[in-house]
Amino acid sequence: MQLSLYLSYIYYRRLFAKGDLLTIVVLITAMAGALYVLYLHYASWSWLLILFPLATLSYHNSREDLSLLRTHPHYRSVLLGEYFIENLPFILLLIGKEDYLWAALYFLGLSLIPSLAQRQLTIPYPFSLSDPLWHTAFRKYKLLFSLPFLIGLVVIAGIYDNPNLALFAFGATGLVCCIPYFEREHPSYITIAAQRGKDYLHSQLIAGIQNTALVFSPLGLTYFICFGIEKIAVLLLFLGVAIVGVLTKYAFFNQPLPQSFAIMAIFLGVFYILPLLLLPYFYFLAIKNIQKHQYVTDKPLRKELPR
């Protein structure tokens, strides 16, 4: 049990610095608040509890110390103790709501996880390779795992006839689609690209619209099933996420912070039209920055570029 407690401490240790009591208090308060809200709205939000054993399963599948732990004669019991400690608040919540069957099934699921072998899952992403950073960002930040939750929000919106909640899910999906545009390819890739100037920018715009449409398509289909064609035309507005993302990325290629401010200003002021008037300027600035990388005249710098 002592080893299980220590492993649980290591699991949560990633969330705060050593001796950072303020962060520890904030985390404990947030956990207690989340449990209290789940307790009050258990009938509506109990399905969220399935996410926590799935998170434990994901952690078990990706942990790097499993081969070392297998040298322990009772490593499965140690792992079960760790996972039980990490999920104890949620099991107690089920017991507090007198949902003993699901509490037993929850514990049974945890007891099976230590016996599972680790498997490396490779998810084939259908994104356009014209912008490989979409693949990189989705793998690096595990963005694909946000889609089931967002689709679930649309389903809940359909059950309670609340299209505003569905629109919130679309907005959150738009933010997910913005994340790849904060990644940067090496300037040498722009230099050796077959497209020049605005042709390179247009190819990135086309790839961005295609990739954004792929991400939004399951949410759009779910929205159509739940609400029909009511306000479905608003989906076309969210395809503008790709346009804003590409233009601000190359307009502020070496300045990610101003890029984030520009994206925030455009999204918050989209209904006031004025921020949208900046897009032609960002288009001009993006082409200018691309050409600056493609038409290098400094010979010493050119020698440093990888071929």
Side-chain angles (χ1 to χ4, degrees):
M1 181 58 71
Q2 184 177 0
L3 181 56
S4 297
L5 284 169
Y6 182 69
L7 290 173
S8 300
Y9 169 76
I10 293 175
Y11 177 79
Y12 287 109
R13 179 67 174 75
R14 302 173 300 169
L15 303 177
F16 57 89
K18 185 177 181 180
D20 190 353
L21 295 178
L22 178 61
T23 303
I24 295 173
V25 172
V26 169
L27 290 173
I28 293 175
T29 305
M31 172 71 78
L35 288 172
Y36 182 68
V37 171
L38 279 174
Y39 184 84
L40 293 179
H41 303 280
Y42 182 79
S44 303
W45 297 94
S46 59
W47 59 272
L48 287 173
L49 291 174
I50 192 64
L51 299 177
F52 300 107
L54 290 178
T56 301
L57 176 61
S58 176
Y59 173 64
H60 173 80
N61 191 59
S62 60
R63 65 187 304 162
E64 299 177 356
D65 59 348
L66 192 58
S67 58
L68 179 62
L69 288 172
R70 284 198 177 111
T71 60
H72 193 282
H74 305 291
Y75 81 94
R76 286 192 177 92
S77 300
V78 171
L79 290 176
L80 177 58
E82 177 194 353
Y83 298 152
F84 177 76
I85 293 170
E86 292 166 1
N87 289 270
L88 182 60
F90 313 111
I91 296 176
L92 291 177
L93 174 64
L94 290 169
I95 295 174
K97 298 299 292 187
E98 299 182 355
D99 203 344
Y100 302 115
L101 176 61
W102 282 108
L105 291 175
Y106 196 120
F107 181 77
L108 178 62
L110 291 179
S111 64
L112 295 176
I113 291 177
S115 302
L116 298 178
Q118 289 181 312
R119 297 183 182 276
Q120 296 298 325
L121 300 177
T122 302
I123 302 175
Y125 294 97
F127 300 133
S128 171
L129 288 177
S130 298
D131 188 355
L133 294 176
W134 272 75
H135 294 258
T136 304
F138 267 73
R139 291 187 189 279
K140 181 179 179 181
Y141 301 112
K142 307 293 188 296
L143 298 179
L144 192 65
F145 293 109
S146 65
L147 287 183
F149 175 73
L150 295 170
I151 293 172
L153 284 182
V154 178
V155 172
I156 293 172
I159 293 173
Y160 292 97
D161 194 23
N162 186 357
N164 291 329
L165 180 60
L167 294 179
F168 170 79
F170 289 143
T173 307
L175 292 177
V176 170
C177 292
C178 281
I179 292 176
Y181 295 114
F182 287 95
E183 301 289 319
R184 298 290 190 268
E185 64 265 41
H186 194 279
S188 62
Y189 296 130
I190 301 177
T191 303
I192 64 176
Q195 301 93 347
R196 315 305 292 175
K198 68 178 181 179
D199 292 332
Y200 182 86
L201 181 63
H202 292 170
S203 69
Q204 296 298 305
L205 284 170
I206 293 172
I209 292 173
Q210 290 175 346
N211 295 336
T212 304
L214 281 172
V215 174
F216 272 99
S217 56
L219 277 83
L221 179 60
T222 307
Y223 184 92
F224 176 74
I225 294 172
C226 295
F227 295 98
I229 60 173
E230 179 186 357
K231 297 183 180 179
I232 200 169
V234 77
L235 279 175
L236 298 177
L237 291 176
F238 289 102
L239 294 179
V241 169
I243 298 174
V244 173
V246 172
L247 294 184
T248 56
K249 171 184 173 179
Y250 291 103
F252 304 98
F253 191 77
N254 298 317
Q255 301 167 304
L257 186 59
Q259 179 195 359
S260 62
F261 290 147
I263 290 177
M264 188 181 303
I266 291 172
F267 286 164
L268 293 178
V270 65
F271 296 108
Y272 299 100
I273 305 301
L274 184 61
L276 298 179
L277 299 179
L278 294 173
L279 291 181
Y281 172 69
F282 289 155
Y283 177 81
F284 168 78
L285 196 59
I287 294 177
K288 183 178 179 180
N289 284 337
I290 291 171
Q291 290 176 337
K292 181 176 68 174
H293 288 290
Q294 290 185 331
Y295 299 104
V296 180
T297 56
D298 188 355
K299 292 183 179 180
L301 179 61
R302 184 182 292 273
K303 291 180 180 178
E304 294 177 3
L305 295 175
R307 296 295 183 183

